[in-house]
Amino acid sequence: MSNDEDSESKSGKSSTSVKFFELDDAFEDDGDNVVGAKFFGGSTVKEELYVPEEEEMALQLQNVDPKDETEYKRFEDENAFDTLGKRVGESLQAAINEILYNDEPGRGDIASWKEGPSLTWETPFAKSKTSGGVSPLNELEASKLFYNKLDVAILSAKTVKSDVVEVRWDIGAVWPNPWESRVLLTGTSLLTIKEDRNNNSLLLVKQVDQLDGSNPTDILSSSQLAFSSSKNIKGKKGLLSSYKLSYLPSRLVTEPSLIDTNGRSGRTAQALPNHGFTTAIKTMGPNKESFTPVTPIEVSISKAEGLEGSLVKWTVPVPPEFASKAVLPLPLTESCVDDEEEEEDVDSLATASEQNKSPYSSRQPKILPPKAPQSLQCSYSLRPSRLVATLPYAGNPQDEAVTQLRRQLYQEVVERDGFAPKLDPVTKRPIFFFWMNDSKACFTRAGGLGMAVYEWRGDWSKSNEVGIELEL
C-alpha cells in the first residue's frame, strides 16, 4: 500500500508541474498553431519551464565577444609582423588565397597586391614555361594545376629597409602520386616593394627566395632540414654520439596547456586535451571532410611555479592550409572547480563508494577518479627557429624511463660534446621535451584542430623521441 501511495503522490506532483497533451490533437493545424507545437510543449510548457537565471546565463554565453575570447588575428601579432610587414603580409596572403582557395579579394584596409612590369625574381623553385617564369603569382597558379593540393601561408614579415621586407612562409604540397605524399617546405623571401598610399596598393619590384636548410637553393635539403655544422655554434657532435641533432625553422603553433596534479599515474600528457580542439571533423558519410595531418605532437612537462602539480604543455605545428587564414579560431576554455568543491566531490565519492560496498564482497573499493586539471589555456604563437638534440624512445611522455633518458642526453650533449643548453626564462632550467611521432593532429581549413590519431607501434621501432633544446 505504501508503494502505491508513493507512486500516486509522485504522479500527482508531476501532473501539476508539466502539462501533457493527447496525441489526437497534437498534430492538428488550425492555421494559427504550428503543427506539432502542442506535442513538444509549445509556448504553454515553455512558460512552465522558463528559468530567468538560466536564460540570462545562456544569453551571456551566446554573446561572448569574439575579438577577445575566440579569435587570433595573425597579422595583428606584433611578434610576427611590424607596421609595414602587416600591410605586406595581409596583401600578399589575400592575393595567394584568391588563387589557391578562390577566396574573395581583400577588403577594407588590405592593400591590393600587384607585380611590376619589370619584376626581378630569383628563386630555387623550377619555373614552368607556360607561366613565363617572371611572375610568382602566375607560377603559383600553374603549380596549383600540377599538385593534388597546394597551400602557402605567410607566417611573418619584418621590415629590413624602408622598401624591403623579409617574409617567412610555409609551403605544403600533396604530390600527384597514388599515395599522395605530403611535402613541407619552409623559407624566406626578400621583397622590394613600392607603396601607393593614394590607391592603397603595393607594387612588387624584386623578390629573392631562400629555402631553410644547409643549402638554401636545394629543395631536397630544405625538406629534410638537416643541421648544418657550418653554423657558428658552440659544441661539436662526437662520432660515437647516440643522439640526433636537428635544426627546426620557425613555425606557427598552437599550444594548449594545463596544471596537472595527478602525477605519472594520471597519464595526462599522453593525449591532446579537449580544450585544445576548435572543431570536429566528419570522417564518414556523404559530407565527410578532408583534413591535413601534422606530426610530431610535442609535450613538455615542468614544475608549476607557485602552484601544486606540473605544467603540461602540448605544442602542435599548424599546417599551411589552416595558417593561410587571417583569423584563426581559439577554443573556449572553462575554469575548473575550486579546490574546496573538488575535495568535497572526492570525499562524497569516497563516502558513496564505502556505503555501497557489500559486506559479502571481497573486492577492494574502486580507485577514486583523477583530479580535474587546472588553469586550462590555449594560444597560437610564432615559434622561433630552434636547435635540438634527441634520443629515440619507444614509450610515453610520463614513463619513469624518460627521466633516465633526459640525464643521458644532458651528459652526452652538454657535458661531453660542449653544447650550451637553452634555459627556461622562469625556472632557469634546461628545456626538455618529448616528441610523440606515433600521434597525428588533424586540421581542417575551416575549423582548425579537430582530431588526433594515435598509432600503435612496436617497442622495437623506438619512434618517439626525448629531446633537449640548445642555444643557437
Side-chain angles (χ1 to χ4, degrees):
M1 290 294 292
S2 59
N3 292 338
D4 295 338
E5 291 176 359
D6 291 341
S7 61
E8 289 177 1
S9 61
K10 290 180 181 179
S11 61
K13 292 180 181 179
S14 62
S15 62
T16 58
S17 59
V18 180
K19 297 180 179 179
F20 294 95
F21 299 89
E22 297 295 336
L23 288 178
D24 295 338
D25 63 345
F27 294 95
E28 291 182 359
D29 188 357
D30 56 3
D32 296 328
N33 300 320
V34 180
V35 174
K38 292 183 179 181
F39 182 74
F40 293 104
S43 59
T44 307
V45 174
K46 180 179 179 182
E47 292 176 359
E48 294 280 346
L49 303 179
Y50 181 81
V51 181
E53 292 78 8
E54 294 186 2
E55 292 292 331
E56 184 178 356
M57 184 181 297
L59 290 175
Q60 291 177 357
L61 292 174
Q62 186 177 4
N63 296 328
V64 172
D65 188 359
K67 295 181 180 179
D68 299 330
E69 301 290 341
T70 62
E71 291 181 347
Y72 168 70
K73 297 185 177 181
R74 294 200 303 113
F75 297 105
E76 293 184 3
D77 188 346
E78 296 180 354
N79 294 325
F81 300 91
D82 55 25
T83 304
L84 180 58
K86 176 185 175 182
R87 280 178 53 81
V88 172
E90 280 185 318
S91 178
L92 180 56
Q93 187 71 74
I96 292 173
N97 291 354
E98 188 177 356
I99 295 174
L100 295 182
Y101 311 110
N102 299 320
D103 289 356
E104 295 183 359
R107 296 179 178 178
D109 297 334
I110 300 179
S112 60
W113 185 262
K114 299 180 180 179
E115 295 178 342
S118 57
L119 170 65
T120 303
W121 183 26
E122 300 176 13
T123 181
F125 297 106
K127 301 177 181 179
S128 62
K129 297 179 180 179
T130 56
S131 65
V134 294
S135 169
L137 292 182
N138 290 344
E139 189 64 41
L140 186 66
E141 193 164 5
S143 300
K144 179 185 176 182
L145 301 176
F146 174 77
Y147 293 99
N148 286 2
K149 196 169 192 336
L150 185 63
D151 304 294
V152 180
I154 305 300
L155 302 183
S156 67
K158 296 289 186 178
T159 303
V160 179
K161 297 180 182 178
S162 59
D163 61 343
V164 179
V165 176
E166 184 181 46
V167 172
R168 169 160 287 281
W169 39 259
D170 278 359
I171 298 177
V174 177
W175 201 259
N177 54 27
W179 46 93
E180 294 190 331
S181 305
R182 292 183 179 271
V183 179
L184 174 68
L185 300 175
T186 64
T188 58
S189 296
L190 282 177
L191 308 180
T192 304
I193 60 171
K194 287 184 179 180
E195 284 192 271
D196 187 353
R197 291 281 183 176
N198 296 329
N199 296 320
N200 193 26
S201 64
L202 296 170
L203 183 68
L204 180 62
V205 177
K206 183 179 180 180
Q207 177 171 327
V208 180
D209 301 332
Q210 181 174 317
L211 292 163
D212 292 323
S214 57
N215 186 352
T217 62
D218 185 5
I219 294 181
L220 181 60
S221 66
S222 174
S223 61
Q224 294 176 345
L225 292 177
F227 168 67
S228 174
S229 58
S230 62
K231 294 180 180 290
N232 186 19
I233 296 174
K234 180 182 177 181
K236 184 177 180 180
K237 182 180 178 182
L239 294 176
L240 301 179
S241 298
S242 57
Y243 62 87
K244 180 178 67 175
L245 208 58
S246 304
Y247 169 77
L248 306 178
S250 180
R251 294 292 305 277
L252 180 66
V253 296
T254 175
E255 296 178 309
S257 64
L258 54 81
I259 302 296
D260 177 45
T261 58
N262 296 299
R264 297 183 189 275
S265 61
R267 297 289 177 176
T268 302
Q270 287 186 201
L272 281 172
N274 289 337
H275 71 274
F277 295 88
T278 56
T279 188
I281 301 177
K282 297 178 182 178
T283 59
M284 300 292 289
N287 297 323
K288 65 179 181 180
E289 301 172 277
S290 61
F291 55 87
T292 302
V294 295
T295 193
I297 297 174
E298 182 175 315
V299 182
S300 63
I301 305 174
S302 58
K303 182 175 177 56
E305 292 298 317
L307 297 172
E308 180 186 356
S310 301
L311 173 63
V312 182
K313 181 169 69 174
W314 295 261
T315 302
V316 183
V318 176
E321 179 186 21
F322 181 56
S324 63
K325 298 179 63 176
V327 180
L328 306 182
L330 278 169
L332 291 175
T333 58
E334 298 178 356
S335 59
C336 295
V337 295
D338 297 336
D339 293 339
E340 296 180 358
E341 295 178 357
E342 185 177 326
E343 291 176 359
E344 291 177 0
D345 293 340
V346 173
D347 293 340
S348 62
L349 286 173
T351 304
S353 176
E354 192 67 26
Q355 291 177 351
N356 295 330
K357 182 182 177 183
S358 172
Y360 304 103
S361 175
S362 60
R363 293 182 180 179
Q364 296 296 324
K366 294 183 178 179
I367 300 175
L368 294 178
K371 296 181 180 180
Q374 306 170 11
S375 302
L376 307 183
Q377 296 181 3
C378 188
S379 61
Y380 296 96
S381 66
L382 183 65
R383 201 175 202 184
S385 56
R386 301 188 298 158
L387 177 64
V388 300
T390 58
L391 284 173
Y393 180 62
N396 295 305
Q398 291 176 291
D399 292 347
E400 293 185 4
V402 173
T403 302
Q404 181 61 32
L405 279 177
R406 286 184 175 187
R407 185 178 294 108
Q408 176 186 344
L409 189 61
Y410 186 87
Q411 291 173 347
E412 289 189 24
V413 177
V414 179
E415 296 179 355
R416 190 189 66 190
D417 292 344
F419 287 95
K422 188 173 182 180
L423 303 180
D424 186 281
V426 178
T427 62
K428 304 301 180 183
R429 297 179 178 178
I431 301 175
F432 290 96
F433 58 87
F434 190 96
W435 278 349
M436 298 170 61
N437 293 313
D438 57 0
S439 304
K440 294 178 176 61
C442 304
F443 290 77
T444 64
R445 187 168 190 268
L449 180 58
M451 182 174 63
V453 179
Y454 304 94
E455 177 186 357
W456 180 89
R457 297 182 183 180
D459 292 345
W460 55 268
S461 65
K462 291 187 176 182
S463 59
N464 295 332
E465 297 173 76
V466 176
I468 184 174
E469 194 166 339
L470 307 175
E471 290 286 354
L472 276 170

